[in-house]
Amino acid sequence: MLKRKQESLEQKSQLLRTPLQDQQGYLANLMNGYSKLLIDDPVRPFREENLEEIANNVDYGILAALEGTWVSYNANYNKNITRPSLGSGIHTTIMPSPGTNPGTIPGKFSFDTEEYIEKLTFEIVPGGVRNRGGASELFCGAVKYDQTIKSVNKVEGKSELQYAGIHEENGMYLWLSDVYNYAATKETIERDRGIHAFSEEDYKNYGYKGEYRNEPLVEVRDENGNSSYILLSQLKEGQEYFEIIPAQEIKPLDGIT
């Protein structure tokens, strides 16, 4: 996971507008605005009212440099080769020979070799992707890609090239940066979990009569050994306790640490 330096935002924007031939160490300059996110690094608090601003300022890191369409190129630099390549590379596949299976003649394979051309298209997803849940909010810069690979062959007696699809793939890259802390609030608790006003089980088992138990109960005993249960926050300094009953609900500010 990476974090971005706040001062790098404008620098990165300017860098992406600079012609490649004028840049020294293009990727190195892009990565200069980032550092590894450590467990004790400061994390910004997340607020719902800032959601639009955060989403509009999502980061794409070095993935932003991929935007556009990229095609393979065959320069045929070696002029000593009598048969120049038709494609931009050689694709090889080793496959079991037709008719073979583990129960007949194992170890027989065919070796298929084809020249190929390739096209890759990268498209930035506006607004990023919000990865939510628990105490951490992560806003990812998403870049979609489409890849097409075709073989290139000449058919004997025909001058035109023949193209056949070898591989089609699409997917998405995510740039993981900018983590926000989303601590529980009264509003999120009510919206996500609901509030249980009274627990019959708590009263029956532990004698707890309060509403909405969002912290543990602990067993305490008096000087005669009689047992009772109180909230963890009601323990006096140095008071001994014997059993802990975990809370069933979260409370405001849970998850902030």
Side-chain angles (χ1 to χ4, degrees), residues 5-221:
K5 302 173 186 175
Q6 295 303 307
E7 63 272 16
S8 72
L9 299 180
E10 180 56 35
Q11 294 173 359
K12 186 191 72 171
S13 177
Q14 182 63 41
L15 183 62
L16 292 175
R17 293 193 293 266
T18 305
L20 280 175
Q21 61 268 25
D22 297 337
Q23 296 175 16
Q24 296 295 323
Y26 179 71
L27 293 181
N29 282 331
L30 279 177
M31 291 303 296
N32 185 49
Y34 300 93
S35 61
K36 185 180 292 186
L37 183 64
L38 303 177
I39 194 169
D40 56 349
D41 281 339
V43 178
R44 285 166 288 177
F46 173 78
R47 297 182 178 88
E48 288 282 355
E49 60 266 24
N50 297 335
L51 177 58
E52 184 175 355
E53 177 187 352
I54 295 171
N56 290 337
N57 192 35
V58 72
D59 198 15
Y60 297 91
I62 61 172
L63 297 181
L66 296 175
E67 185 180 19
T69 298
W70 304 72
V71 294
S72 57
Y73 175 67
N74 178 13
N76 275 317
Y77 291 112
N78 191 344
K79 303 304 179 184
N80 297 321
I81 296 178
T82 56
R83 181 187 177 278
S85 297
L86 301 173
S88 54
I90 301 295
H91 163 77
T92 59
T93 305
I94 301 174
M95 300 171 291
S97 295
T100 62
N101 63 59
T104 54
I105 309 175
K108 298 291 185 179
F109 293 90
S110 62
F111 187 78
D112 190 23
T113 302
E114 300 173 282
E115 296 183 57
Y116 75 93
I117 56 175
E118 179 177 0
K119 181 174 80 171
L120 266 167
T121 300
F122 294 92
E123 179 185 354
I124 288 179
V125 179
V129 176
R130 182 182 178 189
N131 191 5
R132 71 185 85 182
S136 297
E137 287 272 0
L138 181 65
F139 291 83
C140 309
V143 179
K144 295 188 294 186
Y145 72 86
D146 283 287
Q147 180 185 40
T148 297
I149 301 177
K150 295 182 181 295
S151 67
V152 184
N153 296 290
K154 270 189 176 179
V155 179
E156 189 175 351
K158 296 182 180 181
S159 59
E160 66 271 15
L161 293 177
Q162 181 181 9
Y163 300 94
I166 297 177
H167 182 72
E168 292 286 338
E169 179 182 329
N170 57 40
M172 184 176 291
Y173 292 125
L174 296 178
W175 183 259
L176 305 183
S177 180
D178 291 353
V179 178
Y180 293 80
N181 180 274
Y182 198 166
T185 64
K186 183 175 182 294
E187 290 72 21
T188 63
I189 293 170
E190 291 178 349
R191 181 183 64 208
D192 297 340
R193 297 293 306 275
I195 289 183
H196 308 290
F198 181 79
S199 170
E200 295 287 349
E201 184 176 346
D202 274 354
Y203 179 67
K204 177 181 177 182
N205 294 336
Y206 314 114
Y208 177 71
K209 302 178 182 178
E211 297 181 352
Y212 183 54
R213 185 169 66 82
N214 54 21
E215 63 175 287
L217 287 172
V218 293
E219 180 191 6
V220 295
R221 297 171 186 172

